[in-house]
Amino acid sequence: MNDRPSAPGRRTGEWRLLALAGLVSLLPYFLNRGLFSRLYWFGDEFDLIDQIDRLGFWRWVWLAFAENFVPLFKVLWGGRSFSSGDRTQ
């Protein structure tokens, strides 16, 4: 038995309906995930690695990439690339 009244204007099962709607909205992705992986892979990492090689890491970090400029991402991504040994010598 619940002694607390529900918040005004809110139904008690509303969060379940929202969770279900969120899962249903992801259904096309899960059914076609192979197509999505081909569609959204652009090969940008090859260009980024080439830029690091040509410009040097710290100059590359402050260079704008496409319409985005996020130096924290570039430091983390570039650092992971260096630490994994994925680069050519």
Side-chain angles (χ1 to χ4, degrees), residues 11-58:
R11 289 181 239 147
T12 55
E14 187 174 313
W15 69 272
R16 289 185 187 109
L17 182 62
L18 289 173
L20 179 64
L23 290 174
V24 168
S25 71
L26 291 173
L27 190 60
Y29 170 74
F30 288 119
L31 293 176
N32 301 298
R33 65 184 170 272
L35 180 62
F36 274 97
S37 68
R38 287 193 317 235
L39 180 64
Y40 289 109
W41 184 78
F42 299 110
D44 291 340
E45 66 273 8
F46 297 121
D47 184 45
L48 294 176
I49 291 171
D50 179 57
Q51 287 178 10
I52 293 172
D53 188 46
R54 286 185 291 116
L55 299 172
F57 183 73
W58 292 110

Side-chain angles (χ1 to χ4, degrees), residues 66-81:
E67 68 277 355
N68 299 321
F69 177 68
V70 184
L72 178 61
F73 163 77
K74 291 175 92 173
V75 167
L76 294 173
W77 185 88
R80 195 229 47 80
S81 181

